[in-house]
């Protein structure tokens, strides 16, 4: 493990109680706005001080309330990129990057590190450009270069794509993922976007109301989110209360149906989730009669809303998504779900 975090901090009615570990690669902190993601980064960086707990990076204790250890930010070797790149507009790319080395006195060392980070961030030839002459991607890479030139042991990115349009965001995600893989050290990426977390992160820690609900490999989390909030944050639109009626069977009173599951069902089950892409008219298992109530067209997909025939009045409609290129019937009388696509949720 590289980073160990176990901290508590009270801010009015809000309590941060974050506990997680990293082990190389990119860890995503995924959660809604106001859940404590940015505050967690600030505590790791030393910008904020926890009330209690422990933070350790590569065997070095950065903070320990009981031992009275609280290293200043400049001694932590942590790079922190805020949501705003905050490049100095009157400085060139070269000057902006060298601001990150203002404590390094050796001109030779400064020039060597500058050359290395320019190559890593693919900024060669742009050294004399000012921020207004850069594309969004070039500006972001310059801001990263200013941090990486100090050779931090940990890099933290706070919503790095939030100010970008969707086309540029997807392009830069691919670019930045490659650059961070080459960087080869621990990275924490804060985001509220499930797509961003899925694209960028090898592991995801789901945060809700100041606490980490679960930390899993990214694909494992989407396959089995465990909690209701984690399922919602990973994009599951269809969640309803459920109870165990057999080792591999649940009852969903709200929908008026029973479902067979691929995983064994524990007695403490709270709810089930079904992703909108999982409903198929040709699926014979867990098939149920449905009534269609609405549709919404996207560029490449259809989103349709339906209700199970025995579904309780006043309960939310169920979503189905499918590709426009699919040969599937748009409004079938029955829809089924494979047992392995039934998400079993045991926590709020």
């Amino acid at each position: 493990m590289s980073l160990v975090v176990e901290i508590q901090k009270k801010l009015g009615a809000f309590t941060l109680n974050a506990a997680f570990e990293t082990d190389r690669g990119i860890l995503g902190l995924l959660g809604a706005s106001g859940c404590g993601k940015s505050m967690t980064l600030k505590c790791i960086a030393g910008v904020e001080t926890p009330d209690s707990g422990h933070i350790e990076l590569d065997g070095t204790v950065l903070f320990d309330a009981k031992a009275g250890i609280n290293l200043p930010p400049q001694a932590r070797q942590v790079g922190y990129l805020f949501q705003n790149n905050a490049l100095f507009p009157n400085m060139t790319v070269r000057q902006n990057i060298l601001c990150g080395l203002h404590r390094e006195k050796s001109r030779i060392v400064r020039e060597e590190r500058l050359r290395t980070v320019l190559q890593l961030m693919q900024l060669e030839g742009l050294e004399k450009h000012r921020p207004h002459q850069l594309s969004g991607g070039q500006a972001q890479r310059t801001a990263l270069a200013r941090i990486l030139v100090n050779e931090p042991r940990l890099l933290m990115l706070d919503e790095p794509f939030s100010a970008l349009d969707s086309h540029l965001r997807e392009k830069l995600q691919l670019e930045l993922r490659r650059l961070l893989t080459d960087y080869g050290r621990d990275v924490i990426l804060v985001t509220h976007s499930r797509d961003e977390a899925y694209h960028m992160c090898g592991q995801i820690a789901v945060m809700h109301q100041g606490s980490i609900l679960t930390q899993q490999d990214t694909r494992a989390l989407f396959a089995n989110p465990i909690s209701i909030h984690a399922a919602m944050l990973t994009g599951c639109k269809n969640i309803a209360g459920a109870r165990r009626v057999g080792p591999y069977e649940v009852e969903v009173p709200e929908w008026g149906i029973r479902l067979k599951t691929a995983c064994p069902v524990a007695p403490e089950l709270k709810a089930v989730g079904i992703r909108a892409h999982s409903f198929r008219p040709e699926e014979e298992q867990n098939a149920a009669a449905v009534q269609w109530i609405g549709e919404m067209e996207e560029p490449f997909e259809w989103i349709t809303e339906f209700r199970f025939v025995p579904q309780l009045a006043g309960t939310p409609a169920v979503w189905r998504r499918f590709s426009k290129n699919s040969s599937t019937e748009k409004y079938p009388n029955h829809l089924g779900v494979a047992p392995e696509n039934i998400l079993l949720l045991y926590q709020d």
Side-chain angles (χ1 to χ4, degrees):
M1 66 189 70
S2 301
L3 175 70
V4 180
V5 176
E6 188 174 349
I7 53 174
Q8 299 78 39
K9 185 175 179 65
K10 191 168 180 61
L11 297 160
F14 178 81
T15 299
L16 177 68
N17 186 20
F20 61 91
E21 299 177 359
T22 69
D23 188 14
R24 302 302 179 194
I26 305 175
L27 171 70
L29 276 186
L30 176 64
S33 298
C35 71
K37 305 185 301 295
S38 294
M39 179 56 65
T40 300
L41 294 196
K42 291 176 182 177
C43 288
I44 296 170
V47 178
E48 295 281 351
T49 302
D51 298 328
S52 59
H54 180 90
I55 303 172
E56 185 175 321
L57 177 61
D58 291 339
T60 299
V61 177
L62 307 184
F63 172 81
D64 191 288
K66 291 183 179 178
I69 298 171
N70 187 20
L71 296 187
Q74 61 270 23
R76 297 193 177 201
Q77 291 184 272
V78 172
Y80 187 5
L81 181 64
F82 295 86
Q83 293 182 22
N84 186 338
N85 291 331
L87 295 175
F88 297 109
N90 60 329
M91 291 185 179
T92 64
V93 167
R94 172 188 170 86
Q95 291 167 333
N96 264 287
I97 295 173
L98 286 176
C99 281
L101 280 175
H102 65 277
R103 289 188 175 85
E104 178 56 59
K105 304 304 181 185
S106 170
R107 183 177 180 279
I108 295 175
V109 172
R110 286 165 60 88
E111 290 299 323
E112 178 59 31
R113 289 196 188 175
L114 174 65
R115 185 163 52 251
T116 299
V117 81
L118 284 171
Q119 183 178 13
L120 176 65
M121 292 290 112
Q122 299 179 352
L123 293 168
E124 293 162 301
L126 300 175
E127 294 91 331
K128 295 181 180 180
H129 284 54
R130 299 187 187 276
H132 75 273
Q133 298 173 298
L134 303 175
S135 69
Q138 291 166 345
Q140 185 184 62
R141 295 201 304 271
T142 301
L144 272 173
R146 187 171 61 187
I147 293 172
L148 297 182
V149 76
N150 250 326
E151 299 180 348
R153 292 183 294 173
L154 171 69
L155 178 62
M156 302 191 299
L157 310 176
D158 193 350
E159 301 275 8
F161 308 104
S162 60
L164 305 176
D165 62 61
S166 59
H167 171 72
L168 183 57
R169 185 185 307 125
E170 291 171 359
K171 180 177 181 294
L172 291 184
Q173 283 173 7
L174 291 170
E175 188 175 278
L176 185 58
R177 183 176 62 183
R178 179 183 54 77
L179 292 170
L180 294 178
T181 300
D182 293 343
Y183 171 59
R185 299 191 184 184
D186 277 333
V187 178
I188 299 178
L189 185 145
V190 157
T191 181
H192 64 270
S193 166
R194 70 177 188 276
D195 293 337
E196 193 170 295
Y198 193 89
H199 294 159
M200 296 290 298
C201 305
Q203 279 202 337
I204 295 175
V206 176
M207 201 165 193
H208 177 64
Q209 295 182 348
S211 298
I212 303 295
L213 297 180
T214 183
Q215 180 180 343
Q216 300 182 60
D217 288 345
T218 298
R219 291 184 181 276
L221 173 67
F222 277 75
N224 183 23
I226 300 174
S227 73
I228 293 172
H229 279 98
M232 292 171 62
L233 285 167
T234 57
C236 184
K237 300 294 186 185
N238 307 307
I239 298 174
R243 56 175 174 257
R244 180 183 187 272
V245 292
Y248 291 88
E249 187 176 19
V250 299
E251 183 178 28
V252 189
E254 182 177 313
W255 294 341
I257 60 174
R258 291 190 173 193
L259 299 168
K260 300 290 186 181
T261 68
C263 296
V265 184
E268 57 269 26
L269 181 74
K270 286 194 171 185
V272 295
I274 303 177
R275 299 194 185 277
H277 288 101
S278 297
F279 290 105
R280 302 186 184 280
E282 66 273 16
E283 177 60 63
E284 296 180 357
Q285 299 191 78
N286 294 322
V290 298
Q291 298 173 328
W292 297 96
I293 60 174
E295 67 176 37
M296 182 167 62
E297 184 177 7
E298 291 192 333
F300 306 106
E301 287 189 316
W302 283 106
I303 299 174
T304 53
E305 287 187 310
F306 68 89
R307 301 178 66 82
F308 293 105
V309 170
Q311 187 168 337
L312 293 179
T315 56
V318 184
W319 281 36
R320 179 193 177 209
R321 297 182 74 121
F322 58 95
S323 169
K324 287 183 176 179
N325 293 329
S326 171
S327 60
T328 185
E329 186 181 347
K330 191 174 181 183
Y331 297 118
N333 294 323
H334 288 75
L335 286 173
V337 184
E340 58 268 24
N341 290 328
I342 307 298
L343 306 179
L344 302 175
L345 307 176
Y346 293 96
Q347 306 167 16
D348 290 333

Coordinates of all heavy atoms in Angstrom, one line a residue, residues 7-77:
I7 N -9.3 9.4 8.8 CA -9.4 10.8 9.4 C -10.8 11.1 9.7 O -11.8 10.6 9.1 CB -8.8 11.9 8.5 CG1 -9.5 11.8 7.1 CG2 -7.3 11.8 8.4 CD1 -9.1 12.9 6.2
Q8 N -11.0 12.0 10.7 CA -12.3 12.5 11.1 C -12.2 14.0 11.2 O -11.2 14.5 11.7 CB -12.7 11.9 12.4 CG -12.9 10.4 12.4 CD -11.6 9.7 12.5 OE1 -10.7 10.1 13.3 NE2 -11.5 8.6 11.8
K9 N -13.2 14.7 10.8 CA -13.2 16.2 10.9 C -14.7 16.6 10.9 O -15.5 16.3 10.0 CB -12.5 16.9 9.8 CG -12.4 18.4 9.9 CD -11.5 19.0 8.8 CE -11.5 20.5 9.0 NZ -10.7 21.0 10.2
K10 N -15.0 17.5 11.9 CA -16.4 18.0 12.0 C -16.5 19.4 11.5 O -15.6 20.2 11.9 CB -16.9 17.9 13.5 CG -18.4 18.1 13.6 CD -18.8 17.7 15.0 CE -20.3 18.0 15.2 NZ -21.1 17.2 14.2
L11 N -17.4 19.7 10.7 CA -17.6 21.0 10.1 C -19.1 21.4 10.3 O -19.9 21.0 9.4 CB -17.2 21.1 8.6 CG -15.7 20.8 8.3 CD1 -15.6 20.4 6.9 CD2 -14.9 22.0 8.6
G12 N -19.4 22.0 11.4 CA -20.8 22.3 11.7 C -21.6 21.0 11.8 O -21.3 20.1 12.6
A13 N -22.7 20.9 11.0 CA -23.5 19.6 11.1 C -22.9 18.5 10.3 O -23.4 17.4 10.4 CB -24.9 19.9 10.6
F14 N -21.8 18.8 9.5 CA -21.2 17.8 8.6 C -20.0 17.1 9.3 O -19.2 17.8 9.9 CB -20.8 18.4 7.3 CG -20.1 17.5 6.4 CD1 -20.8 16.6 5.6 CD2 -18.7 17.4 6.3 CE1 -20.2 15.7 4.7 CE2 -18.1 16.5 5.4 CZ -18.8 15.7 4.6
T15 N -19.9 15.8 9.2 CA -18.8 15.1 9.8 C -18.1 14.3 8.7 O -18.8 13.4 8.0 CB -19.3 14.1 10.9 OG1 -19.9 14.9 12.0 CG2 -18.1 13.4 11.5
L16 N -16.8 14.5 8.5 CA -16.0 13.7 7.6 C -15.4 12.6 8.3 O -14.8 12.8 9.4 CB -14.9 14.6 7.0 CG -13.9 13.9 6.0 CD1 -14.6 13.5 4.7 CD2 -12.7 14.8 5.7
N17 N -15.6 11.4 7.8 CA -15.1 10.2 8.5 C -14.6 9.2 7.3 O -15.2 8.3 7.0 CB -16.2 9.5 9.3 CG -15.7 8.3 10.1 OD1 -14.5 8.2 10.3 ND2 -16.5 7.4 10.4
A18 N -13.4 9.6 6.8 CA -12.9 9.0 5.6 C -11.8 8.0 5.9 O -10.9 8.3 6.6 CB -12.4 10.0 4.6
A19 N -12.0 6.8 5.4 CA -11.0 5.7 5.6 C -10.8 4.9 4.3 O -11.7 4.3 3.8 CB -11.4 4.8 6.7
F20 N -9.6 4.9 3.7 CA -9.3 4.2 2.5 C -7.8 4.0 2.3 O -7.0 4.7 3.0 CB -9.9 4.8 1.3 CG -9.4 6.2 1.0 CD1 -8.3 6.4 0.1 CD2 -10.0 7.3 1.5 CE1 -7.8 7.7 -0.1 CE2 -9.5 8.6 1.3 CZ -8.5 8.8 0.4
E21 N -7.4 3.2 1.4 CA -6.0 3.0 1.1 C -5.8 2.9 -0.4 O -6.7 2.6 -1.2 CB -5.5 1.6 1.7 CG -5.6 1.5 3.2 CD -5.2 0.1 3.7 OE1 -4.8 -0.7 2.8 OE2 -5.2 -0.1 4.9
T22 N -4.6 3.3 -0.9 CA -4.3 3.1 -2.3 C -3.1 2.2 -2.4 O -2.3 2.0 -1.5 CB -3.9 4.5 -2.9 OG1 -2.6 4.9 -2.4 CG2 -5.0 5.5 -2.7
D23 N -3.0 1.6 -3.6 CA -1.9 0.7 -3.9 C -1.4 0.8 -5.3 O -1.6 0.0 -6.2 CB -2.3 -0.7 -3.6 CG -1.1 -1.7 -3.7 OD1 0.0 -1.3 -3.7 OD2 -1.4 -2.9 -3.8
R24 N -0.9 2.0 -5.7 CA -0.5 2.4 -7.0 C -1.7 2.5 -8.0 O -2.7 1.9 -7.8 CB 0.6 1.4 -7.5 CG 1.8 1.3 -6.7 CD 2.5 2.6 -6.5 NE 3.7 2.5 -5.7 CZ 4.3 3.6 -5.1 NH1 3.9 4.8 -5.4 NH2 5.4 3.5 -4.4
G25 N -1.5 3.2 -9.0 CA -2.6 3.4 -10.0 C -3.5 4.6 -9.6 O -3.2 5.4 -8.7
I26 N -4.6 4.7 -10.3 CA -5.5 5.8 -10.1 C -6.7 5.3 -9.3 O -7.4 4.4 -9.7 CB -6.0 6.3 -11.5 CG1 -4.8 6.7 -12.4 CG2 -6.9 7.5 -11.3 CD1 -5.2 7.1 -13.8
L27 N -6.9 6.0 -8.2 CA -8.1 5.7 -7.3 C -9.1 6.9 -7.5 O -8.7 8.0 -7.4 CB -7.7 5.6 -5.9 CG -8.8 5.6 -4.8 CD1 -9.6 4.3 -4.9 CD2 -8.4 5.9 -3.4
G28 N -10.3 6.5 -7.8 CA -11.4 7.5 -7.9 C -12.1 7.7 -6.6 O -12.5 6.7 -6.0
L29 N -12.3 8.9 -6.2 CA -13.3 9.2 -5.1 C -14.6 9.7 -5.8 O -14.6 10.8 -6.3 CB -12.7 10.4 -4.2 CG -11.7 10.0 -3.1 CD1 -11.4 11.2 -2.2 CD2 -12.3 8.8 -2.2
L30 N -15.6 8.8 -5.8 CA -16.8 9.1 -6.5 C -17.9 9.4 -5.5 O -18.2 8.6 -4.6 CB -17.2 7.9 -7.3 CG -18.5 7.9 -8.1 CD1 -18.5 9.0 -9.1 CD2 -18.8 6.5 -8.7
G31 N -18.6 10.6 -5.7 CA -19.6 10.9 -4.8 C -20.3 12.2 -5.3 O -19.8 12.9 -6.1
A32 N -21.5 12.5 -4.7 CA -22.2 13.7 -5.1 C -21.6 14.9 -4.5 O -20.7 14.8 -3.6 CB -23.7 13.6 -4.6
S33 N -21.9 16.1 -5.0 CA -21.4 17.3 -4.5 C -21.7 17.5 -3.0 O -22.8 17.2 -2.6 CB -21.9 18.5 -5.3 OG -21.6 18.4 -6.6
G34 N -20.7 17.9 -2.2 CA -20.9 18.1 -0.8 C -20.7 16.9 0.1 O -21.0 17.0 1.3
C35 N -20.3 15.8 -0.5 CA -20.1 14.6 0.3 C -18.8 14.5 1.0 O -18.6 13.6 1.8 CB -20.3 13.3 -0.6 SG -19.0 13.0 -1.7
G36 N -17.9 15.4 0.8 CA -16.6 15.4 1.5 C -15.4 15.1 0.7 O -14.3 14.9 1.2
K37 N -15.5 14.9 -0.6 CA -14.4 14.5 -1.5 C -13.3 15.5 -1.5 O -12.1 15.2 -1.2 CB -14.9 14.3 -2.9 CG -16.0 13.3 -3.1 CD -16.4 13.1 -4.6 CE -16.7 14.3 -5.3 NZ -18.0 14.9 -4.9
S38 N -13.6 16.8 -1.7 CA -12.6 17.8 -1.8 C -12.0 18.1 -0.4 O -10.7 18.3 -0.3 CB -13.2 19.1 -2.4 OG -13.5 19.0 -3.7
M39 N -12.8 18.0 0.6 CA -12.2 18.2 2.0 C -11.2 17.1 2.3 O -10.2 17.3 3.0 CB -13.4 18.2 3.0 CG -12.9 18.4 4.4 SD -11.9 19.9 4.7 CE -13.1 21.1 4.4
T40 N -11.5 15.9 1.8 CA -10.6 14.8 2.1 C -9.2 15.1 1.4 O -8.1 14.9 2.0 CB -11.1 13.5 1.5 OG1 -12.4 13.2 2.1 CG2 -10.2 12.3 1.7
L41 N -9.2 15.6 0.2 CA -8.0 15.9 -0.5 C -7.2 17.0 0.2 O -6.0 17.0 0.4 CB -8.3 16.4 -1.9 CG -8.8 15.4 -2.9 CD1 -8.7 15.9 -4.4 CD2 -8.2 14.0 -2.8
K42 N -8.0 18.0 0.7 CA -7.3 19.1 1.4 C -6.7 18.7 2.7 O -5.6 19.2 3.1 CB -8.4 20.2 1.7 CG -8.8 21.0 0.5 CD -9.9 22.0 0.8 CE -10.4 22.7 -0.4 NZ -11.5 23.6 -0.2
C43 N -7.3 17.7 3.4 CA -6.7 17.1 4.6 C -5.4 16.3 4.3 O -4.4 16.4 5.0 CB -7.7 16.2 5.3 SG -9.0 17.1 6.1
I44 N -5.4 15.6 3.2 CA -4.2 14.9 2.7 C -3.1 15.8 2.4 O -1.9 15.6 2.7 CB -4.5 13.9 1.6 CG1 -5.6 12.9 2.0 CG2 -3.3 13.3 1.0 CD1 -6.1 12.1 0.8
A45 N -3.5 16.9 1.7 CA -2.5 17.9 1.2 C -1.9 18.7 2.4 O -0.9 19.4 2.2 CB -3.1 18.8 0.2
G46 N -2.6 18.8 3.5 CA -2.2 19.6 4.6 C -2.8 21.0 4.6 O -2.5 21.9 5.4
V47 N -3.7 21.3 3.7 CA -4.4 22.6 3.6 C -5.4 22.7 4.7 O -5.6 23.8 5.3 CB -5.1 22.7 2.2 CG1 -5.9 24.0 2.1 CG2 -4.1 22.6 1.1
E48 N -6.1 21.6 5.1 CA -7.0 21.5 6.2 C -6.4 20.5 7.2 O -5.7 19.5 6.8 CB -8.4 21.1 5.8 CG -9.1 22.0 4.9 CD -9.7 23.2 5.7 OE1 -9.7 23.2 7.0 OE2 -10.1 24.2 5.0
T49 N -6.7 20.6 8.5 CA -6.2 19.7 9.5 C -7.4 18.9 10.1 O -8.4 19.5 10.6 CB -5.6 20.5 10.7 OG1 -4.5 21.3 10.2 CG2 -5.0 19.5 11.7
P50 N -7.3 17.6 10.0 CA -8.4 16.7 10.6 C -8.4 16.9 12.2 O -7.5 17.4 12.8 CB -8.0 15.3 10.3 CG -7.0 15.5 9.1 CD -6.3 16.8 9.4
D51 N -9.6 16.6 12.7 CA -9.7 16.6 14.2 C -9.0 15.4 14.8 O -8.4 15.5 15.9 CB -11.2 16.6 14.6 CG -11.9 17.9 14.1 OD1 -11.3 18.9 14.0 OD2 -13.1 17.7 13.8
S52 N -9.0 14.3 14.1 CA -8.4 13.1 14.6 C -8.0 12.2 13.5 O -8.5 12.4 12.3 CB -9.3 12.4 15.6 OG -10.5 12.0 15.0
G53 N -7.2 11.2 13.7 CA -6.9 10.2 12.7 C -5.5 10.1 12.3 O -4.6 10.6 13.0
H54 N -5.2 9.6 11.1 CA -3.9 9.2 10.7 C -3.8 9.3 9.2 O -4.7 8.8 8.5 CB -3.5 7.8 11.2 CG -2.2 7.3 10.8 ND1 -1.1 7.5 11.7 CD2 -1.7 6.6 9.8 CE1 0.0 7.0 11.1 NE2 -0.4 6.4 9.9
I55 N -2.7 9.8 8.6 CA -2.5 9.8 7.2 C -1.0 9.5 7.0 O -0.1 10.1 7.6 CB -2.7 11.2 6.5 CG1 -4.1 11.7 6.8 CG2 -2.4 11.2 5.0 CD1 -4.4 13.1 6.4
E56 N -0.8 8.4 6.1 CA 0.6 7.9 5.9 C 0.8 7.7 4.4 O -0.1 7.2 3.7 CB 0.8 6.6 6.7 CG 2.2 6.1 6.6 CD 2.3 4.8 7.5 OE1 1.7 4.8 8.6 OE2 3.0 3.9 7.1
L57 N 1.9 8.2 3.9 CA 2.3 8.0 2.5 C 3.6 7.4 2.3 O 4.6 7.9 2.8 CB 2.3 9.4 1.8 CG 2.7 9.5 0.4 CD1 1.7 8.7 -0.5 CD2 2.7 10.9 -0.1
D58 N 3.7 6.2 1.7 CA 4.9 5.5 1.5 C 5.7 5.3 2.8 O 6.9 5.5 2.8 CB 5.8 6.2 0.4 CG 5.2 6.1 -1.0 OD1 4.3 5.2 -1.2 OD2 5.5 6.9 -1.8
G59 N 5.0 5.0 3.9 CA 5.7 4.8 5.1 C 6.0 6.1 5.9 O 6.5 6.0 7.1
T60 N 5.8 7.2 5.4 CA 6.0 8.5 6.1 C 4.7 9.0 6.6 O 3.7 9.1 5.9 CB 6.6 9.6 5.1 OG1 7.8 9.1 4.6 CG2 6.8 10.9 5.9
V61 N 4.7 9.3 7.9 CA 3.4 9.8 8.6 C 3.3 11.3 8.3 O 4.2 12.1 8.6 CB 3.5 9.5 10.1 CG1 2.2 10.1 10.7 CG2 3.6 8.0 10.4
L62 N 2.2 11.6 7.6 CA 2.0 13.0 7.3 C 1.2 13.7 8.4 O 1.3 14.9 8.6 CB 1.2 13.1 5.9 CG 1.8 12.4 4.7 CD1 0.9 12.7 3.5 CD2 3.2 12.8 4.5
F63 N 0.3 12.9 9.0 CA -0.6 13.4 10.1 C -0.9 12.3 11.0 O -1.2 11.2 10.6 CB -1.9 14.0 9.5 CG -2.9 14.4 10.6 CD1 -2.7 15.6 11.2 CD2 -3.9 13.6 10.9 CE1 -3.6 16.0 12.2 CE2 -4.8 13.9 11.9 CZ -4.7 15.1 12.5
D64 N -0.8 12.6 12.3 CA -1.2 11.6 13.3 C -1.6 12.5 14.6 O -0.8 13.1 15.2 CB -0.1 10.6 13.7 CG -0.7 9.5 14.6 OD1 -1.0 9.8 15.8 OD2 -0.8 8.4 14.0
A65 N -2.9 12.5 14.8 CA -3.4 13.3 15.9 C -2.9 12.9 17.3 O -2.5 13.7 18.1 CB -4.9 13.3 15.9
K66 N -2.8 11.6 17.5 CA -2.3 11.1 18.8 C -0.9 11.4 19.0 O -0.4 11.7 20.1 CB -2.6 9.6 18.9 CG -4.1 9.3 19.1 CD -4.3 7.8 19.3 CE -5.8 7.5 19.4 NZ -6.0 6.0 19.5
A67 N -0.1 11.3 18.0 CA 1.4 11.5 18.1 C 1.8 12.9 17.9 O 3.0 13.3 18.0 CB 2.1 10.6 17.0
G68 N 0.8 13.8 17.6 CA 1.1 15.2 17.4 C 1.9 15.5 16.1 O 2.6 16.5 16.1
I69 N 1.7 14.7 15.1 CA 2.4 14.9 13.9 C 1.5 15.6 12.9 O 0.4 15.1 12.6 CB 2.9 13.6 13.3 CG1 3.9 12.9 14.2 CG2 3.6 13.8 11.9 CD1 4.3 11.5 13.8
N70 N 2.0 16.7 12.3 CA 1.2 17.4 11.2 C 2.1 18.1 10.3 O 2.4 19.3 10.5 CB 0.2 18.3 11.9 CG -0.8 19.0 10.8 OD1 -0.9 18.4 9.8 ND2 -1.4 20.1 11.2
L71 N 2.7 17.4 9.3 CA 3.7 18.0 8.4 C 3.0 19.1 7.6 O 1.9 19.0 7.2 CB 4.2 16.9 7.4 CG 5.0 15.7 8.0 CD1 5.6 14.9 6.9 CD2 6.1 16.2 9.0
P72 N 3.8 20.2 7.4 CA 3.3 21.3 6.6 C 3.1 20.8 5.1 O 3.8 19.9 4.7 CB 4.3 22.4 6.7 CG 5.6 21.6 7.1 CD 5.1 20.5 7.9
P73 N 2.2 21.5 4.4 CA 2.0 21.1 3.0 C 3.3 20.9 2.2 O 3.4 20.0 1.4 CB 1.1 22.2 2.4 CG 0.4 22.8 3.6 CD 1.4 22.7 4.8
Q74 N 4.2 21.8 2.3 CA 5.4 21.8 1.5 C 6.3 20.6 1.8 O 7.2 20.3 1.0 CB 6.2 23.1 1.6 CG 6.7 23.5 3.0 CD 5.7 24.3 3.8 OE1 4.5 24.2 3.5 NE2 6.2 25.0 4.8
A75 N 6.1 20.0 2.9 CA 6.9 18.8 3.3 C 6.3 17.5 3.0 O 6.9 16.4 3.3 CB 7.2 18.9 4.8
R76 N 5.1 17.5 2.5 CA 4.3 16.3 2.2 C 4.6 15.6 0.9 O 4.2 14.5 0.7 CB 2.8 16.5 2.4 CG 2.5 17.0 3.8 CD 1.0 16.9 4.1 NE 0.7 17.3 5.4 CZ -0.4 17.0 6.1 NH1 -1.4 16.3 5.5 NH2 -0.6 17.3 7.3
Q77 N 5.2 16.3 0.0 CA 5.5 15.8 -1.4 C 4.2 15.3 -2.1 O 4.1 14.2 -2.6 CB 6.5 14.7 -1.3 CG 7.9 15.2 -1.0 CD 8.9 14.1 -1.1 OE1 9.1 13.4 -0.1 NE2 9.5 13.9 -2.2

